[in-house]
Amino acid sequence: MTTRILIVTGDAAESLEVLYPYQRLREEGYEVHIAAPTRKTLRFVVHDFEPGYDTYTEKPGYTWPADLAFSEVEPSRYAAVVVPGGRAPEYLRNDPELRKILKSFFDADKPVAQICHGPLLTAAVGALDGRRVTAYPALELDMQAAGATFQDTEAVVDGTLVSSRAWPDHPTWMREFLQVLRTKNPPT
């Protein structure tokens, strides 16, 4: 049986932060499923940086079908989970099904990759207390409030948790995550 990886996301997720790990993990031989609040076509966004703006801009991005609803996910069937950013984590952290899913990955010490605003979800399940993380830099205070030590760097590895700031850091983030993943669950 092929080793499975779960990506949890929703509408307004950052396109690159969903599709880059999706494709990269498939390239490595993993089976990847995308879960969302419901099975539907998700609408992603593109965040970019433009001169004169104090923060990033947001434009419509790709659409992609969710393979599963959160209520259909059996975490024991997955070796790891990826938590993309964008705006999706702001509302997804309120979903009790998703919180149960994420908590089970941390309870089982399975690999977790999070990027950008994704750590808002792992903070919501109390999984960041005492850990070292990075996230989109504007979340530094949120990470500290969750009990984490924030580091403004491309990727931070703390045990089986691998975090990153945003899509420009993808190569370092995925390289570090794949190292953790291959050690715990090589593709089969």
Side-chain angles (χ1 to χ4, degrees):
M1 176 182 284
T2 304
T3 304
R4 293 184 181 112
I5 309 297
L6 182 66
I7 296 177
V8 293
T9 194
D11 287 326
E14 163 54 54
S15 292
L16 287 173
E17 293 173 1
V18 177
L19 296 176
Y20 180 81
Y22 177 82
Q23 292 172 333
R24 185 66 188 92
L25 291 164
R26 290 188 65 209
E27 179 182 49
E28 285 291 316
Y30 293 99
E31 183 178 335
V32 183
H33 296 160
I34 295 177
T38 61
R39 281 187 192 224
K40 69 173 202 164
T41 298
L42 298 168
R43 298 179 182 278
F44 301 144
V45 298
V46 173
H47 289 149
D48 208 351
F49 305 94
E50 295 184 24
Y53 278 74
D54 292 331
T55 187
Y56 55 84
T57 61
E58 183 174 284
K59 298 166 184 74
Y62 293 105
T63 59
W64 200 266
D67 300 303
L68 301 163
F70 294 147
S71 62
E72 299 172 300
V73 172
E74 294 178 39
S76 63
R77 297 182 64 208
Y78 295 91
V81 65
V82 177
V83 185
R87 279 188 299 113
E90 294 174 16
Y91 70 91
L92 291 177
R93 62 185 163 176
N94 297 311
D95 188 302
E97 289 293 327
L98 179 54
R99 289 196 308 267
K100 284 192 295 190
I101 292 166
L102 287 176
K103 186 171 179 345
S104 71
F105 280 91
F106 283 98
D107 289 349
D109 197 34
K110 291 181 179 179
V112 175
Q114 61 183 12
I115 189 166
C116 192
H117 284 71
L120 291 173
L121 292 171
T122 53
V125 299
L128 301 184
D129 191 33
R131 290 195 178 257
R132 293 176 300 106
V133 300
T134 193
Y136 188 70
L139 298 185
E140 179 176 1
L141 295 178
D142 299 277
M143 297 300 96
Q144 291 170 348
T149 301
F150 180 82
Q151 298 176 336
D152 187 4
T153 188
E154 289 181 340
V156 173
V157 179
D158 187 322
T160 56
L161 175 63
V162 182
S163 56
S164 190
R165 296 177 298 195
W167 60 262
D169 298 332
H170 275 161
T172 303
W173 178 51
M174 274 292 107
R175 185 172 42 251
E176 296 294 341
F177 182 60
L178 284 166
Q179 267 189 312
V180 170
L181 192 54
R182 285 181 193 124
T183 300
K184 295 231 12 149
N185 296 95
T188 55

